[in-house]
PDB file of all heavy atoms in Angstrom:
ATOM      1  N   LEU A 347       7.036 -12.214  -9.878  1.00  0.00           N
ATOM      2  CA  LEU A 347       6.558 -13.506  -9.373  1.00  0.00           C
ATOM      3  C   LEU A 347       7.098 -14.632 -10.250  1.00  0.00           C
ATOM      4  O   LEU A 347       7.543 -15.679  -9.738  1.00  0.00           O
ATOM      5  CB  LEU A 347       5.024 -13.529  -9.348  1.00  0.00           C
ATOM      6  CG  LEU A 347       4.376 -14.866  -8.946  1.00  0.00           C
ATOM      7  CD1 LEU A 347       4.789 -15.285  -7.543  1.00  0.00           C
ATOM      8  CD2 LEU A 347       2.849 -14.773  -9.054  1.00  0.00           C
ATOM      9  N   GLN A 348       7.105 -14.423 -11.536  1.00  0.00           N
ATOM     10  CA  GLN A 348       7.636 -15.442 -12.450  1.00  0.00           C
ATOM     11  C   GLN A 348       9.132 -15.639 -12.233  1.00  0.00           C
ATOM     12  O   GLN A 348       9.634 -16.771 -12.292  1.00  0.00           O
ATOM     13  CB  GLN A 348       7.345 -15.030 -13.888  1.00  0.00           C
ATOM     14  CG  GLN A 348       5.858 -15.059 -14.236  1.00  0.00           C
ATOM     15  CD  GLN A 348       5.543 -14.372 -15.559  1.00  0.00           C
ATOM     16  OE1 GLN A 348       6.426 -13.825 -16.233  1.00  0.00           O
ATOM     17  NE2 GLN A 348       4.276 -14.390 -15.945  1.00  0.00           N
ATOM     18  N   ARG A 349       9.859 -14.570 -11.969  1.00  0.00           N
ATOM     19  CA  ARG A 349      11.300 -14.708 -11.693  1.00  0.00           C
ATOM     20  C   ARG A 349      11.529 -15.490 -10.399  1.00  0.00           C
ATOM     21  O   ARG A 349      12.477 -16.280 -10.305  1.00  0.00           O
ATOM     22  CB  ARG A 349      11.965 -13.332 -11.621  1.00  0.00           C
ATOM     23  CG  ARG A 349      12.105 -12.630 -12.972  1.00  0.00           C
ATOM     24  CD  ARG A 349      12.979 -11.392 -12.855  1.00  0.00           C
ATOM     25  NE  ARG A 349      13.103 -10.641 -14.093  1.00  0.00           N
ATOM     26  CZ  ARG A 349      14.008 -10.880 -15.034  1.00  0.00           C
ATOM     27  NH1 ARG A 349      14.864 -11.886 -14.875  1.00  0.00           N
ATOM     28  NH2 ARG A 349      14.065 -10.129 -16.125  1.00  0.00           N
ATOM     29  N   ILE A 350      10.685 -15.266  -9.401  1.00  0.00           N
ATOM     30  CA  ILE A 350      10.791 -16.033  -8.154  1.00  0.00           C
ATOM     31  C   ILE A 350      10.515 -17.501  -8.417  1.00  0.00           C
ATOM     32  O   ILE A 350      11.248 -18.395  -7.944  1.00  0.00           O
ATOM     33  CB  ILE A 350       9.812 -15.472  -7.098  1.00  0.00           C
ATOM     34  CG1 ILE A 350      10.221 -14.056  -6.677  1.00  0.00           C
ATOM     35  CG2 ILE A 350       9.770 -16.389  -5.870  1.00  0.00           C
ATOM     36  CD1 ILE A 350       9.175 -13.339  -5.845  1.00  0.00           C
ATOM     37  N   GLU A 351       9.479 -17.776  -9.183  1.00  0.00           N
ATOM     38  CA  GLU A 351       9.125 -19.166  -9.484  1.00  0.00           C
ATOM     39  C   GLU A 351      10.238 -19.864 -10.257  1.00  0.00           C
ATOM     40  O   GLU A 351      10.456 -21.070 -10.086  1.00  0.00           O
ATOM     41  CB  GLU A 351       7.819 -19.196 -10.276  1.00  0.00           C
ATOM     42  CG  GLU A 351       6.599 -18.788  -9.450  1.00  0.00           C
ATOM     43  CD  GLU A 351       5.334 -18.616 -10.265  1.00  0.00           C
ATOM     44  OE1 GLU A 351       5.434 -18.398 -11.502  1.00  0.00           O
ATOM     45  OE2 GLU A 351       4.242 -18.694  -9.681  1.00  0.00           O
ATOM     46  N   ARG A 352      10.968 -19.124 -11.101  1.00  0.00           N
ATOM     47  CA  ARG A 352      12.076 -19.715 -11.861  1.00  0.00           C
ATOM     48  C   ARG A 352      13.369 -19.795 -11.051  1.00  0.00           C
ATOM     49  O   ARG A 352      14.379 -20.317 -11.535  1.00  0.00           O
ATOM     50  CB  ARG A 352      12.334 -18.899 -13.136  1.00  0.00           C
ATOM     51  CG  ARG A 352      11.212 -18.952 -14.150  1.00  0.00           C
ATOM     52  CD  ARG A 352      11.667 -18.426 -15.511  1.00  0.00           C
ATOM     53  NE  ARG A 352      12.053 -17.027 -15.489  1.00  0.00           N
ATOM     54  CZ  ARG A 352      11.254 -16.018 -15.811  1.00  0.00           C
ATOM     55  NH1 ARG A 352       9.985 -16.261 -16.161  1.00  0.00           N
ATOM     56  NH2 ARG A 352      11.693 -14.769 -15.805  1.00  0.00           N
ATOM     57  N   GLY A 353      13.361 -19.240  -9.839  1.00  0.00           N
ATOM     58  CA  GLY A 353      14.541 -19.296  -8.985  1.00  0.00           C
ATOM     59  C   GLY A 353      15.600 -18.266  -9.310  1.00  0.00           C
ATOM     60  O   GLY A 353      16.744 -18.368  -8.848  1.00  0.00           O
ATOM     61  N   GLU A 354      15.241 -17.221 -10.062  1.00  0.00           N
ATOM     62  CA  GLU A 354      16.213 -16.195 -10.430  1.00  0.00           C
ATOM     63  C   GLU A 354      16.494 -15.221  -9.287  1.00  0.00           C
ATOM     64  O   GLU A 354      17.584 -14.637  -9.214  1.00  0.00           O
ATOM     65  CB  GLU A 354      15.709 -15.411 -11.649  1.00  0.00           C
ATOM     66  CG  GLU A 354      15.563 -16.262 -12.900  1.00  0.00           C
ATOM     67  CD  GLU A 354      14.953 -15.485 -14.055  1.00  0.00           C
ATOM     68  OE1 GLU A 354      14.846 -14.238 -13.950  1.00  0.00           O
ATOM     69  OE2 GLU A 354      14.563 -16.111 -15.044  1.00  0.00           O
ATOM     70  N   ILE A 355      15.511 -15.025  -8.424  1.00  0.00           N
ATOM     71  CA  ILE A 355      15.640 -14.141  -7.266  1.00  0.00           C
ATOM     72  C   ILE A 355      15.087 -14.868  -6.050  1.00  0.00           C
ATOM     73  O   ILE A 355      14.016 -15.494  -6.121  1.00  0.00           O
ATOM     74  CB  ILE A 355      14.869 -12.820  -7.484  1.00  0.00           C
ATOM     75  CG1 ILE A 355      15.476 -12.018  -8.639  1.00  0.00           C
ATOM     76  CG2 ILE A 355      14.872 -11.964  -6.217  1.00  0.00           C
ATOM     77  CD1 ILE A 355      14.731 -10.733  -8.974  1.00  0.00           C
ATOM     78  N   ASP A 356      15.802 -14.786  -4.932  1.00  0.00           N
ATOM     79  CA  ASP A 356      15.347 -15.400  -3.682  1.00  0.00           C
ATOM     80  C   ASP A 356      15.066 -14.306  -2.659  1.00  0.00           C
ATOM     81  O   ASP A 356      15.982 -13.854  -1.955  1.00  0.00           O
ATOM     82  CB  ASP A 356      16.393 -16.367  -3.134  1.00  0.00           C
ATOM     83  CG  ASP A 356      15.995 -16.944  -1.779  1.00  0.00           C
ATOM     84  OD1 ASP A 356      14.792 -16.893  -1.437  1.00  0.00           O
ATOM     85  OD2 ASP A 356      16.890 -17.444  -1.063  1.00  0.00           O
ATOM     86  N   PRO A 357      13.821 -13.848  -2.539  1.00  0.00           N
ATOM     87  CA  PRO A 357      13.521 -12.761  -1.598  1.00  0.00           C
ATOM     88  C   PRO A 357      13.736 -13.134  -0.136  1.00  0.00           C
ATOM     89  O   PRO A 357      13.925 -12.246   0.697  1.00  0.00           O
ATOM     90  CB  PRO A 357      12.035 -12.468  -1.862  1.00  0.00           C
ATOM     91  CG  PRO A 357      11.754 -13.049  -3.216  1.00  0.00           C
ATOM     92  CD  PRO A 357      12.635 -14.241  -3.324  1.00  0.00           C
ATOM     93  N   THR A 358      13.741 -14.419   0.176  1.00  0.00           N
ATOM     94  CA  THR A 358      13.842 -14.824   1.582  1.00  0.00           C
ATOM     95  C   THR A 358      15.227 -14.569   2.160  1.00  0.00           C
ATOM     96  O   THR A 358      15.390 -14.578   3.383  1.00  0.00           O
ATOM     97  CB  THR A 358      13.507 -16.311   1.751  1.00  0.00           C
ATOM     98  OG1 THR A 358      14.495 -17.120   1.086  1.00  0.00           O
ATOM     99  CG2 THR A 358      12.142 -16.638   1.160  1.00  0.00           C
ATOM    100  N   ARG A 359      16.207 -14.324   1.299  1.00  0.00           N
ATOM    101  CA  ARG A 359      17.583 -14.227   1.803  1.00  0.00           C
ATOM    102  C   ARG A 359      17.796 -13.032   2.725  1.00  0.00           C
ATOM    103  O   ARG A 359      18.753 -13.018   3.501  1.00  0.00           O
ATOM    104  CB  ARG A 359      18.583 -14.199   0.650  1.00  0.00           C
ATOM    105  CG  ARG A 359      18.715 -12.867  -0.083  1.00  0.00           C
ATOM    106  CD  ARG A 359      19.847 -12.912  -1.109  1.00  0.00           C
ATOM    107  NE  ARG A 359      20.083 -11.616  -1.755  1.00  0.00           N
ATOM    108  CZ  ARG A 359      20.842 -10.658  -1.268  1.00  0.00           C
ATOM    109  NH1 ARG A 359      21.427 -10.812  -0.074  1.00  0.00           N
ATOM    110  NH2 ARG A 359      21.019  -9.518  -1.935  1.00  0.00           N
ATOM    111  N   ILE A 360      16.908 -12.023   2.652  1.00  0.00           N
ATOM    112  CA  ILE A 360      17.118 -10.832   3.478  1.00  0.00           C
ATOM    113  C   ILE A 360      16.410 -10.911   4.829  1.00  0.00           C
ATOM    114  O   ILE A 360      16.617 -10.062   5.690  1.00  0.00           O
ATOM    115  CB  ILE A 360      16.660  -9.555   2.746  1.00  0.00           C
ATOM    116  CG1 ILE A 360      15.130  -9.540   2.574  1.00  0.00           C
ATOM    117  CG2 ILE A 360      17.384  -9.396   1.413  1.00  0.00           C
ATOM    118  CD1 ILE A 360      14.574  -8.199   2.196  1.00  0.00           C
ATOM    119  N   ILE A 361      15.561 -11.915   5.050  1.00  0.00           N
ATOM    120  CA  ILE A 361      14.786 -11.994   6.300  1.00  0.00           C
ATOM    121  C   ILE A 361      15.690 -12.452   7.435  1.00  0.00           C
ATOM    122  O   ILE A 361      16.290 -13.527   7.374  1.00  0.00           O
ATOM    123  CB  ILE A 361      13.589 -12.951   6.162  1.00  0.00           C
ATOM    124  CG1 ILE A 361      12.646 -12.484   5.055  1.00  0.00           C
ATOM    125  CG2 ILE A 361      12.831 -13.064   7.494  1.00  0.00           C
ATOM    126  CD1 ILE A 361      11.547 -13.482   4.724  1.00  0.00           C
ATOM    127  N   THR A 362      15.788 -11.634   8.460  1.00  0.00           N
ATOM    128  CA  THR A 362      16.596 -12.003   9.626  1.00  0.00           C
ATOM    129  C   THR A 362      15.746 -12.206  10.889  1.00  0.00           C
ATOM    130  O   THR A 362      16.177 -12.885  11.811  1.00  0.00           O
ATOM    131  CB  THR A 362      17.652 -10.928   9.922  1.00  0.00           C
ATOM    132  OG1 THR A 362      17.008  -9.647  10.047  1.00  0.00           O
ATOM    133  CG2 THR A 362      18.679 -10.860   8.803  1.00  0.00           C
ATOM    134  N   HIS A 363      14.551 -11.613  10.927  1.00  0.00           N
ATOM    135  CA  HIS A 363      13.714 -11.705  12.127  1.00  0.00           C
ATOM    136  C   HIS A 363      12.251 -11.916  11.735  1.00  0.00           C
ATOM    137  O   HIS A 363      11.752 -11.234  10.833  1.00  0.00           O
ATOM    138  CB  HIS A 363      13.814 -10.417  12.964  1.00  0.00           C
ATOM    139  CG  HIS A 363      15.152 -10.211  13.603  1.00  0.00           C
ATOM    140  ND1 HIS A 363      16.271  -9.860  12.869  1.00  0.00           N
ATOM    141  CD2 HIS A 363      15.559 -10.305  14.900  1.00  0.00           C
ATOM    142  CE1 HIS A 363      17.312  -9.749  13.695  1.00  0.00           C
ATOM    143  NE2 HIS A 363      16.906 -10.004  14.922  1.00  0.00           N
ATOM    144  N   THR A 364      11.595 -12.846  12.408  1.00  0.00           N
ATOM    145  CA  THR A 364      10.159 -13.048  12.281  1.00  0.00           C
ATOM    146  C   THR A 364       9.555 -12.967  13.678  1.00  0.00           C
ATOM    147  O   THR A 364       9.951 -13.721  14.578  1.00  0.00           O
ATOM    148  CB  THR A 364       9.833 -14.413  11.642  1.00  0.00           C
ATOM    149  OG1 THR A 364      10.447 -14.471  10.345  1.00  0.00           O
ATOM    150  CG2 THR A 364       8.326 -14.591  11.485  1.00  0.00           C
ATOM    151  N   LEU A 365       8.631 -12.021  13.866  1.00  0.00           N
ATOM    152  CA  LEU A 365       8.082 -11.737  15.187  1.00  0.00           C
ATOM    153  C   LEU A 365       6.559 -11.708  15.127  1.00  0.00           C
ATOM    154  O   LEU A 365       5.982 -11.410  14.080  1.00  0.00           O
ATOM    155  CB  LEU A 365       8.571 -10.374  15.690  1.00  0.00           C
ATOM    156  CG  LEU A 365      10.074 -10.142  15.812  1.00  0.00           C
ATOM    157  CD1 LEU A 365      10.348  -8.680  16.161  1.00  0.00           C
ATOM    158  CD2 LEU A 365      10.680 -11.062  16.862  1.00  0.00           C
ATOM    159  N   PRO A 366       5.892 -11.977  16.258  1.00  0.00           N
ATOM    160  CA  PRO A 366       4.444 -11.758  16.295  1.00  0.00           C
ATOM    161  C   PRO A 366       4.120 -10.271  16.221  1.00  0.00           C
ATOM    162  O   PRO A 366       4.940  -9.431  16.621  1.00  0.00           O
ATOM    163  CB  PRO A 366       4.027 -12.358  17.645  1.00  0.00           C
ATOM    164  CG  PRO A 366       5.260 -12.387  18.476  1.00  0.00           C
ATOM    165  CD  PRO A 366       6.405 -12.540  17.523  1.00  0.00           C
ATOM    166  N   LEU A 367       2.955  -9.938  15.702  1.00  0.00           N
ATOM    167  CA  LEU A 367       2.555  -8.536  15.560  1.00  0.00           C
ATOM    168  C   LEU A 367       2.665  -7.781  16.877  1.00  0.00           C
ATOM    169  O   LEU A 367       3.061  -6.606  16.898  1.00  0.00           O
ATOM    170  CB  LEU A 367       1.119  -8.455  15.023  1.00  0.00           C
ATOM    171  CG  LEU A 367       0.530  -7.047  14.887  1.00  0.00           C
ATOM    172  CD1 LEU A 367       1.296  -6.231  13.848  1.00  0.00           C
ATOM    173  CD2 LEU A 367      -0.949  -7.123  14.519  1.00  0.00           C
ATOM    174  N   ASP A 368       2.317  -8.424  17.979  1.00  0.00           N
ATOM    175  CA  ASP A 368       2.360  -7.743  19.273  1.00  0.00           C
ATOM    176  C   ASP A 368       3.768  -7.323  19.673  1.00  0.00           C
ATOM    177  O   ASP A 368       3.941  -6.522  20.586  1.00  0.00           O
ATOM    178  CB  ASP A 368       1.748  -8.628  20.364  1.00  0.00           C
ATOM    179  CG  ASP A 368       0.228  -8.581  20.372  1.00  0.00           C
ATOM    180  OD1 ASP A 368      -0.352  -7.655  19.761  1.00  0.00           O
ATOM    181  OD2 ASP A 368      -0.397  -9.468  20.988  1.00  0.00           O
ATOM    182  N   ASP A 369       4.786  -7.863  18.997  1.00  0.00           N
ATOM    183  CA  ASP A 369       6.171  -7.466  19.263  1.00  0.00           C
ATOM    184  C   ASP A 369       6.668  -6.424  18.260  1.00  0.00           C
ATOM    185  O   ASP A 369       7.872  -6.240  18.085  1.00  0.00           O
ATOM    186  CB  ASP A 369       7.093  -8.689  19.215  1.00  0.00           C
ATOM    187  CG  ASP A 369       6.945  -9.579  20.433  1.00  0.00           C
ATOM    188  OD1 ASP A 369       6.277  -9.151  21.392  1.00  0.00           O
ATOM    189  OD2 ASP A 369       7.488 -10.708  20.417  1.00  0.00           O
ATOM    190  N   ALA A 370       5.738  -5.724  17.604  1.00  0.00           N
ATOM    191  CA  ALA A 370       6.125  -4.758  16.576  1.00  0.00           C
ATOM    192  C   ALA A 370       7.046  -3.673  17.123  1.00  0.00           C
ATOM    193  O   ALA A 370       7.991  -3.243  16.450  1.00  0.00           O
ATOM    194  CB  ALA A 370       4.891  -4.127  15.951  1.00  0.00           C
ATOM    195  N   SER A 371       6.792  -3.216  18.336  1.00  0.00           N
ATOM    196  CA  SER A 371       7.626  -2.165  18.907  1.00  0.00           C
ATOM    197  C   SER A 371       9.080  -2.628  19.019  1.00  0.00           C
ATOM    198  O   SER A 371      10.006  -1.878  18.689  1.00  0.00           O
ATOM    199  CB  SER A 371       7.091  -1.757  20.286  1.00  0.00           C
ATOM    200  OG  SER A 371       7.893  -0.742  20.849  1.00  0.00           O
ATOM    201  N   ARG A 372       9.276  -3.859  19.453  1.00  0.00           N
ATOM    202  CA  ARG A 372      10.640  -4.406  19.519  1.00  0.00           C
ATOM    203  C   ARG A 372      11.230  -4.528  18.124  1.00  0.00           C
ATOM    204  O   ARG A 372      12.415  -4.232  17.891  1.00  0.00           O
ATOM    205  CB  ARG A 372      10.634  -5.767  20.206  1.00  0.00           C
ATOM    206  CG  ARG A 372      11.997  -6.449  20.197  1.00  0.00           C
ATOM    207  CD  ARG A 372      12.039  -7.757  20.969  1.00  0.00           C
ATOM    208  NE  ARG A 372      13.333  -8.400  20.781  1.00  0.00           N
ATOM    209  CZ  ARG A 372      13.574  -9.389  19.912  1.00  0.00           C
ATOM    210  NH1 ARG A 372      12.584  -9.862  19.172  1.00  0.00           N
ATOM    211  NH2 ARG A 372      14.775  -9.906  19.785  1.00  0.00           N
ATOM    212  N   GLY A 373      10.413  -4.950  17.160  1.00  0.00           N
ATOM    213  CA  GLY A 373      10.889  -5.064  15.791  1.00  0.00           C
ATOM    214  C   GLY A 373      11.379  -3.737  15.248  1.00  0.00           C
ATOM    215  O   GLY A 373      12.435  -3.661  14.610  1.00  0.00           O
ATOM    216  N   PHE A 374      10.608  -2.664  15.505  1.00  0.00           N
ATOM    217  CA  PHE A 374      11.026  -1.337  15.067  1.00  0.00           C
ATOM    218  C   PHE A 374      12.329  -0.932  15.750  1.00  0.00           C
ATOM    219  O   PHE A 374      13.214  -0.333  15.125  1.00  0.00           O
ATOM    220  CB  PHE A 374       9.933  -0.309  15.359  1.00  0.00           C
ATOM    221  CG  PHE A 374       8.974  -0.093  14.224  1.00  0.00           C
ATOM    222  CD1 PHE A 374       7.914  -0.959  14.035  1.00  0.00           C
ATOM    223  CD2 PHE A 374       9.136   0.964  13.349  1.00  0.00           C
ATOM    224  CE1 PHE A 374       7.024  -0.773  12.985  1.00  0.00           C
ATOM    225  CE2 PHE A 374       8.256   1.157  12.296  1.00  0.00           C
ATOM    226  CZ  PHE A 374       7.195   0.289  12.105  1.00  0.00           C
TER     227      PHE A 374
END
Side-chain angles (χ1 to χ4, degrees):
L347 175 60
Q348 292 168 358
R349 288 190 183 273
I350 294 169
E351 290 171 338
R352 293 194 297 264
E354 297 175 11
I355 295 177
D356 176 19
T358 66
R359 78 174 185 85
I360 68 165
I361 300 172
T362 54
H363 292 72
T364 301
L365 302 173
L367 177 65
D368 280 344
D369 286 350
S371 180
R372 175 176 174 261
F374 268 82

